[in-house]
Amino acid sequence: MATAWQDDAPKPSVMAEHVHPKDPLLYTIKRKLLGAPLNRHTLSHQRLSKRFGLGILSSDCISSSAYGSEQILIALLPVFGLAAFSLLMPMTAVVLVILLIVTLSYHNVISVYSKTGGAYFVSRRNFGPVVAQVAAVALILDYVVTLAIQSAAGVAAIISTFPELNPWKVEMTLAVIVLLTYGNLRGVKEAGKAFALPTYFFVGSMAIVFTVGIYRDIMGTLPTLPTNVEGAVPFGNEQGLLTFAAIFTLLRAFANGGSSLTGLEAISDGVMLFKTPEHVNARRTLIIMSCILGSLVLGVSWFAHRIYALPYESGTPTVISQIARSVLGDGAIGNIFFILVQAATMLILFAGANTTFSAFPILVNFVASDGFLPRWLAKRGHRLNFSNGILVLVFFASILVVVTRSSVEHLVAYYAIGVFTAFTLTGLGMAKHTHTHRGEKWKLRFGIHLLSGSISLIVVIVFAIVKFTAGAWVIVLIGPIMVIGLIRLNKRYQAENSVLDITPQRGSSANITRHDVAVLIDNVDLATIGAIRYARSLKPRNLSAVHFVIDDRKADEIREAWDKYSAFDGITLEFIDCPDRRLANAAIEYSLRETESPDVELTLLLPRRSYSRFLGRLLHDQTAESIASAIAQLDRVVATIVPFDVEKILDGKVRLVPATDEQAPASALAPAKPQFESPVYEPVGHHAKSATKIGAIQWRKRAEVVGRVTGIRVAPKKSSPQVEIEIWDETGGVRLQFIGRREIAGLEVGSTLKAEGMVGEQDGKLTILNPSYEIIK
């Protein structure tokens, strides 16, 4: 045969395009809906300035001001009547004091944990992985409720502008969640600059409302709303503050007001997103965010107190919409500005809901990577996002929306426990860290963290008590069950890993001393021939075919057919009695008998005929799977299923087994065009402009090529050092061969590589030997 270095040999060629089976229908639909799958090497995060960091990361926190004051009034009005408006400002002051303390605590968290400083990481570092699961569960529940409540509040803003939409409140909320889900499954980046707009739009619109409102209050033209309106929260009678009912109500109002502080840890979770110096920019952004939040909460409470803005039982119109309507007036300009304010409120609430689509999947990814959640939650999906986490989030948030009928008031009952549990563990964890790693002014920092953790713990206890019958019992019950479940799951993973760990004894040798192969047959057909062909390729010491006899007539037919075909020449055929027809037990007994000697390993090959997905299960049994499952319990025995796709041959789409002169009628094995399609290789970028396309390089000439690395092959440890790299562009592929090396530092599969050298050949394919190279990305 001619070889490539001889003049009359056929010229070598570049590697032809890879092929893969034609995409199934479901994948085709997913690709149409979500777009083409993203290359994992395009995964990167965008560094944020303080301006964009504030707009993107604070939307959840700042949007809470839209309903925090309203929730305080909902708790106070039924007990204290109009006196609730006098109590609103003191209750708001208490919330702002807590905001200050928690902000100071997280300000120091960012300094210590300069990459990510969420409650989960602080708890894991200072209390260990078990206590960290309490933080994980708290945050998981918090994110689920956040998506539900922010979406519901955003829809409430729409209905406050267009009241006729109220009958479709639940459907509208679910539609918003579906739209956000679709956008995030397509790979919408939270770090995109567009997500900063709602925050500044909302802050700016509320600044206009507050400015105009203060002016009208000074001028004496700020209206007061009527208090005897239909649909408002019912009034109670004024009473003293020292009765048990009054104290309980004040505590409940305080707990409701705590919903204003949700999302406060978003900055500490995303420190690594900021431009350098990350921790400095993050700390400044945190201070600005807390100041804005405090100003908004204070402003909404003050104007609600001044104009007597009543919350409604249906949830609409909202208190913040009543403030905007009263301040801006009913004129043409006032109506325009009112619609803008409502649009801003809606957008920031939806933007706040959108933050959960990145925060929740990332959190469960970390927890799953630690082995406390199912590992499929740590896998990236079609568009490089953690799509499994997104779907889990949406599923449970949608259930909450349906159960609560999209009521913000009812959703708040589930809310603050998770938030303040995270604050508690962060504060106490940082107190422990500060006490252990004492530095300058450590006593002051220790006091701040201890105070933050203690106050947050008190809020959790208060909330669990006063909101217990309103729905907090669900969180109180589910939370501990989830923590116990995560710990038990981790123990299971640890037990499995201990079984799979490679010990020095287990890893010393992977060689088999004596390897025997047995093919279990229940018929003589093409599937059996395929299994026999594969068995011969294993080059075993002994190769035999075994039939467990449960029907004497069938056994006779197999014996006659076995001698008819040359494909079975030289292979021993064994018949083993199976009187009770329990094939799995018979296979185990046979395997134990064949592996009595400790140096023998046995491979059982089980031909499996694949039929139609639905009719196949109805018309055929699943014997191969049951035998393989039983054999898995044995040492030194491996059960391998050898598939044979009958359905594909019936459809005429693909031919799996080549025809032989005596295997089957020619019509059954007529060649059919394989249903394969070639993937699309996109251009690798501007670096390829000066290079030669791989499909155009010529043998025995120098060439410079640029392509994506699709494969790296490293020589065995005890052989001569050599690295082979396969790179592709949209025109073809070429092999790069590096002699005398065992690795190329910094090179990974998926990287873009530029290489230049003499084009040779190996095995009929063009190869560049020891090229000069540059890793582009």
Side-chain angles (χ1 to χ4, degrees), residues 229-466:
V229 292
E230 185 179 356
V233 172
F235 280 21
N237 298 319
E238 297 185 15
Q239 57 178 289
L241 298 178
L242 298 180
T243 64
F244 176 80
I247 294 174
F248 186 85
T249 301
L250 290 174
L251 291 175
R252 185 179 178 185
F254 164 67
N256 279 11
S259 62
S260 300
L261 306 184
T262 56
L264 195 59
E265 74 166 15
I267 301 293
S268 65
D269 284 337
V271 176
M272 59 184 176
L273 293 174
F274 285 88
K275 292 181 178 179
T276 55
E278 293 94 340
H279 69 285
V280 174
N281 290 327
R283 290 172 67 177
R284 292 173 179 171
T285 305
L286 174 67
I287 297 298
I288 296 172
M289 180 185 74
S290 296
C291 291
I292 293 175
L293 174 62
S295 301
L296 289 171
V297 172
L298 180 61
V300 172
S301 293
W302 189 82
F303 279 102
H305 155 74
R306 290 290 291 125
I307 69 172
Y308 284 6
L310 296 172
Y312 282 71
E313 290 186 311
S314 65
T316 56
T318 61
V319 166
I320 195 171
S321 70
Q322 295 176 61
I323 293 172
R325 172 66 75 186
S326 300
V327 168
L328 298 173
D330 295 326
I333 297 178
N335 285 330
I336 292 174
F337 272 100
F338 172 72
I339 293 175
L340 290 176
V341 170
Q342 290 302 97
T345 305
M346 175 197 69
L347 288 174
I348 194 172
L349 287 166
F350 290 161
N354 185 73
T355 60
T356 62
F357 283 94
S358 61
F360 179 90
I362 290 175
L363 171 67
V364 296
N365 163 54
F366 288 139
V367 179
S369 298
D370 288 340
F372 288 90
L373 278 175
R375 286 173 179 160
W376 47 265
L377 289 170
K379 293 183 178 180
R380 293 190 180 273
H382 189 75
R383 301 285 291 181
L384 291 181
N385 43 31
F386 297 106
S387 53
N388 290 329
I390 290 175
L391 295 177
V392 170
L393 168 68
V394 170
F395 175 76
F396 287 106
S398 300
I399 290 177
L400 267 183
V401 169
V402 173
V403 170
T404 61
R405 303 301 299 168
S406 191
S407 169
V408 175
E409 178 189 357
H410 293 155
L411 285 167
V412 166
Y414 304 103
Y415 206 8
I417 287 185
V419 177
F420 279 92
T421 299
F423 290 168
T424 299
L425 292 173
T426 301
L428 297 180
M430 286 303 300
K432 179 181 179 182
H433 178 275
T434 304
H435 189 269
T436 304
H437 304 85
R438 303 183 182 185
E440 186 179 356
K441 298 181 180 180
W442 73 271
K443 291 184 178 180
L444 175 62
R445 289 183 283 110
F446 175 79
I448 292 173
H449 293 309
L450 184 62
L451 182 62
S452 174
S454 301
I455 291 178
S456 299
L457 179 59
I458 292 173
V459 174
V460 170
I461 295 173
V462 169
F463 203 98
I465 295 174
V466 302

Side-chain angles (χ1 to χ4, degrees), residues 120 133 364-379 388 484-501:
Y120 181 74
Q133 302 321 304
V364 296
N365 163 54
F366 288 139
V367 179
S369 298
D370 288 340
F372 288 90
L373 278 175
R375 286 173 179 160
W376 47 265
L377 289 170
K379 293 183 178 180
N388 290 329
I484 294 172
L486 298 189
I487 294 173
R488 289 180 63 87
L489 180 63
N490 179 255
K491 289 181 179 179
R492 174 67 182 183
Y493 274 137
Q494 288 181 351
E496 292 174 353
N497 290 337
S498 65
V499 173
L500 296 172
D501 280 346

